[in-house]
Amino acid sequence: MSYQVLARKWRPKRFEEVVGQEHVTRSLQNSLKSAKLAHAYLFTGTRGVGKTTIARLFGKAIRCENRGPDMNPCLQCNPCKDIESAYSLDYQEIDGASNNSVDNVRELIENVRYLPAIGSHKIYVIDEVHMLSTAAFNALLKTLEEPPEHVIFIFATTEAQKLLGTILSRCQRFDLRNVPVDVLTAHLKVIIQKESIKFSDERFIERLAVYGKGSVRDALSLLDQVLSLAGEGKIDETVFFQSLGLARAGAIRDLLGHIILERPLEASNLFQQLLQENIDLKRIVDQMLEAFYGVIQNIDHPADIYGQDLLPKDALNGVTFAELFWIYETFIKDCEWAMVGPSPDKVLDLVLQKLDHRRQILQPDRSLIQNSATAVNAAPAKAAPVAPVKPKTANPSFDALVESLGNDSMTIRGNLEMGNFVEAPKLTDDGVSVIIGFHDKDILPREFLQDTDVMPKLRTKIASHFGVKPEKTMIKLVAVDEAEALRNGFTSLADRETKKHQTEVKEKREKLLNDPYIKEAEKLFGAKVDKVVLKDER
């Protein structure tokens, strides 16, 4: 029998085997139990989190002839076996990327009319449904509006924002989450134990979960990759890092030490050595950022994933917290433009040397990295009381707050633009309280920002803008009715931007209409320009 990759071998066959998506599987089981099935479902989330797996499991459960009390498919009846073997006439999985034309959809619609050969439902699963053309979507829309009673559509996509609103409004939507590292680690340990895979250190397993970035499939694919190099042997540090194309842990520790201890020549030589070993630049950057983060988060004893010291003993003596944050922030910003330049390897080498020469570069304004009166590892016997940190001076306007989000939070920024401060932010010595209003008709932006996954990110952004701690940042999102908005002059940032654009368009149009050459042309031809269309008019 040919080898089966772990992601396929361990694909869930029961609802409780799905990892990290209990909020979805529980809802589907309840729907089956109460016999309240919708005619269209949408599963959305990043790759490898279980969209197609849940769709197939749900399809089996709907068509199963011997469902258990927990609503799991029996896997033994003919409908279950037909779906598993991909021979079912009444269950079809369609790749939206390669079957995205209007003709493909018309063929599907033609088949929809016919009753199932066995059972009460025909099920159509369309994966990557956002890849369908606009014409294909429009062709499908009529069937979604008035589907036959025997048909259920299940859509899966990584980019729900690309779907037409008319399609979204006709589906029950389930957003699958990225699987947390601890949950993914526990899942990997179960599989590793059952597969009799040996690791020299269990912390490598957690690294696989981290590198999987919330995707079960990606984490298992990485495990397969490691196994391909290890063969039947134990997975040790050398095998782990070589198989994943990562820099040696010792090399990252040494590179970090050279930077902290301001040794530019040693840092440059080691960096060039890593390049000669064909380590990808992006991986070096990611590992360095992870190491910097580990130092800052565990300042008393910075250690890597193997429990080894990240820095030589006493390396942090004389180094302030402000200096460490400057190194981290500068490295992130410089790497961003270095990686898109014509010679990223050379630029990144210079970035490392810049960090090594930081004290010379920042002369005479050394205060940027020396604002901390006490070095990181040089605490006195009796620490003096620390005065509360004053909030930094920040522009209290709502426009400035939104602008400070930058381009790395476009979704949050886009929804936040639909609101405005109801009253001026209230700043204290170490915290801030803001009340952000939205027109009562703008329900979706307010609900999006109140989401349990989004609100912590918004709180962190607002705290950063005002220079306070996130835990000391209070945010209240309220609805403002039309009468109250008119009475108090409340307008959202989006309203103001729209009005500003309309004013600019009007002024440009009037300027063109009053242009001397236009006036002269009107006299010459005995005509009048009655319409002006601007290139940037929206």
Side-chain angles (χ1 to χ4, degrees):
M1 183 177 178
S2 61
Y3 177 74
Q4 191 175 31
V5 296
L6 294 174
R8 292 192 62 187
K9 182 177 181 179
W10 291 95
R11 194 169 197 171
K13 292 180 169 57
R14 299 172 61 83
F15 285 114
E16 58 268 23
E17 293 174 2
V18 178
V19 180
Q21 311 299 341
E22 291 79 7
H23 63 296
V24 176
T25 55
R26 193 184 310 117
S27 297
L28 297 178
Q29 286 172 289
N30 289 338
S31 297
L32 290 164
K33 194 173 294 186
S34 61
K36 294 179 179 178
L37 296 176
H39 67 270
Y41 294 85
L42 172 65
F43 299 145
T44 178
T46 54
R47 69 176 189 271
V49 293
K51 301 182 297 296
T52 310
T53 294
I54 294 177
R56 184 177 298 177
L57 183 54
F58 189 41
K60 285 180 184 176
I62 293 172
R63 290 192 43 76
C64 181
E65 297 174 345
N66 304 301
R67 266 200 318 258
D70 54 3
M71 296 297 111
N72 277 301
C74 71
L75 307 178
Q76 301 300 320
C77 65
N78 287 332
C80 284
K81 289 180 178 179
D82 288 346
I83 292 175
E84 187 63 26
S85 60
Y87 290 134
S88 176
L89 297 175
D90 301 320
Y91 173 92
Q92 294 186 34
E93 289 185 13
I94 301 165
D95 177 20
S98 54
N99 298 277
N100 57 3
S101 70
V102 67
D103 290 335
N104 295 131
V105 172
R106 283 173 179 160
E107 182 181 348
L108 183 152
I109 293 170
E110 181 68 21
N111 292 329
V112 160
R113 295 185 301 141
Y114 301 108
L115 292 171
I118 302 174
S120 58
H121 288 93
K122 293 182 77 169
I123 299 169
Y124 293 89
V125 177
I126 304 181
D127 199 10
E128 298 303 336
V129 68
H130 67 274
M131 297 292 286
L132 294 185
S133 65
T134 302
F137 270 127
N138 289 331
L140 185 61
L141 186 58
K142 182 65 177 176
T143 304
L144 278 180
E145 287 177 342
E146 300 176 4
E149 291 185 4
H150 62 272
V151 172
I152 293 177
F153 288 100
I154 303 177
F155 303 134
T157 178
T158 55
E159 301 184 58
Q161 72 278 5
K162 291 186 178 181
L163 298 184
L164 299 176
T166 48
I167 298 292
L168 291 171
S169 64
R170 288 165 172 81
C171 299
Q172 276 196 19
R173 174 171 173 168
F174 293 93
D175 289 82
L176 278 68
R177 303 165 181 162
N178 285 355
V179 182
V181 171
D182 57 338
V183 175
L184 191 47
T185 301
H187 180 62
L188 288 174
K189 285 182 178 179
V190 171
I191 293 175
I192 286 167
Q193 182 181 9
K194 292 182 177 180
E195 292 284 334
S196 300
I197 301 169
K198 303 297 182 183
F199 277 83
S200 63
D201 193 323
E202 284 200 348
R203 280 173 286 201
F204 291 125
I205 302 174
E206 183 181 353
R207 286 296 95 190
L208 287 175
V210 171
Y211 297 146
K213 296 182 178 178
S215 167
V216 179
R217 185 176 65 232
D218 285 3
L220 289 174
S221 297
L222 290 173
L223 178 55
D224 264 320
Q225 192 171 325
V226 173
L227 288 173
S228 65
L229 182 62
E232 299 297 325
K234 183 179 290 188
I235 298 170
D236 57 16
E237 180 180 337
T238 302
V239 169
F240 185 82
F241 279 89
Q242 284 184 356
S243 62
L244 298 181
L246 298 168
R248 305 180 314 278
I252 295 298
R253 287 196 297 269
D254 292 343
L255 191 54
L256 183 61
H258 294 328
I259 292 172
I260 298 294
L261 295 170
E262 301 176 272
R263 297 193 291 229
L265 181 60
E266 290 87 342
S268 180
N269 288 340
L270 181 52
F271 175 68
Q272 292 300 327
Q273 183 180 335
L274 292 176
L275 292 182
Q276 290 173 9
E277 294 175 9
N278 203 29
I279 307 299
D280 185 73
L281 277 177
K282 180 67 166 60
R283 294 188 184 277
I284 295 175
V285 170
D286 289 343
Q287 287 182 268
M288 287 297 297
L289 287 173
E290 187 177 28
F292 273 127
Y293 182 81
V295 169
I296 294 172
Q297 291 295 101
N298 305 285
I299 205 68
D300 293 328
H301 185 66
D304 63 12
I305 60 172
Y306 325 102
Q308 299 174 344
D309 291 339
L310 270 171
L311 293 172
K313 188 177 181 181
D314 301 328
L316 290 175
N317 281 351
V319 180
T320 64
F321 275 112
E323 187 169 356
L324 287 176
F325 279 110
W326 184 90
I327 293 172
Y328 187 73
E329 182 179 356
T330 302
F331 187 64
I332 290 177
K333 290 180 178 178
D334 287 359
C335 284
E336 187 175 352
W337 59 264
M339 297 302 289
V340 297
S343 301
D345 55 336
K346 293 183 176 64
V347 179
L348 195 54
D349 194 351
L350 291 178
V351 169
L352 296 177
Q353 294 183 51
K354 172 184 175 179
L355 299 178
D356 288 320
H357 288 294
R358 59 188 175 276
R359 302 197 180 201
Q360 292 173 271
I361 293 172
L362 293 175
Q363 291 283 9
D365 191 9
R366 290 277 302 280
S367 62
L368 284 174
I369 60 172
Q370 287 187 323
N371 276 337
S372 300
T374 307
V376 171
N377 280 341
K382 291 186 178 180
V386 180
V389 179
K390 293 285 185 180
K392 69 181 181 183
T393 303
N395 190 327
S397 75
F398 189 76
D399 298 30
L401 169 62
V402 174
E403 187 64 28
S404 72
L405 298 184
N407 295 326
D408 62 337
S409 304
M410 292 303 292
T411 308
I412 294 178
R413 179 172 176 167
N415 284 275
L416 198 59
E417 286 178 351
M418 301 303 292
N420 194 5
F421 287 138
V422 173
E423 59 184 41
K426 295 178 181 178
L427 279 163
T428 62
D429 283 346
D430 61 349
V432 65
S433 175
V434 297
I435 302 177
I436 302 174
F438 297 83
H439 291 297
D440 53 6
K441 61 181 175 62
D442 293 328
I443 299 172
L444 291 179
R446 184 158 48 91
E447 288 185 346
F448 172 82
L449 295 172
Q450 285 174 331
D451 185 86
T452 53
D453 291 331
V454 177
M455 179 54 75
K457 298 176 184 177
L458 176 62
R459 181 175 287 105
T460 299
K461 295 291 184 182
I462 292 178
S464 175
H465 176 71
F466 288 103
V468 299
K469 298 177 180 178
E471 60 268 23
K472 296 289 186 178
T473 302
M474 305 300 294
I475 303 172
K476 187 175 182 181
L477 306 180
V478 299
V480 180
D481 65 36
E482 189 174 352
E484 183 183 350
L486 290 172
R487 194 164 50 248
N488 299 322
F490 176 87
T491 57
S492 70
L493 174 57
D495 291 338
R496 296 196 299 277
E497 289 293 331
T498 300
K499 187 174 181 181
K500 178 183 175 183
H501 178 74
Q502 291 173 344
T503 301
E504 290 174 350
V505 169
K506 183 179 179 181
E507 289 174 352
K508 288 180 182 179
R509 186 179 287 114
E510 289 177 351
K511 185 177 180 180
L512 283 171
L513 289 172
N514 293 316
D515 186 275
Y517 291 102
I518 298 295
K519 293 294 184 184
E520 190 64 30
E522 288 178 336
K523 289 180 182 179
L524 181 63
F525 294 104
K528 187 171 182 65
V529 177
D530 60 354
K531 184 177 182 181
V532 176
V533 178
L534 301 174
K535 182 179 179 181
D536 63 344
E537 190 170 357
R538 304 196 283 267

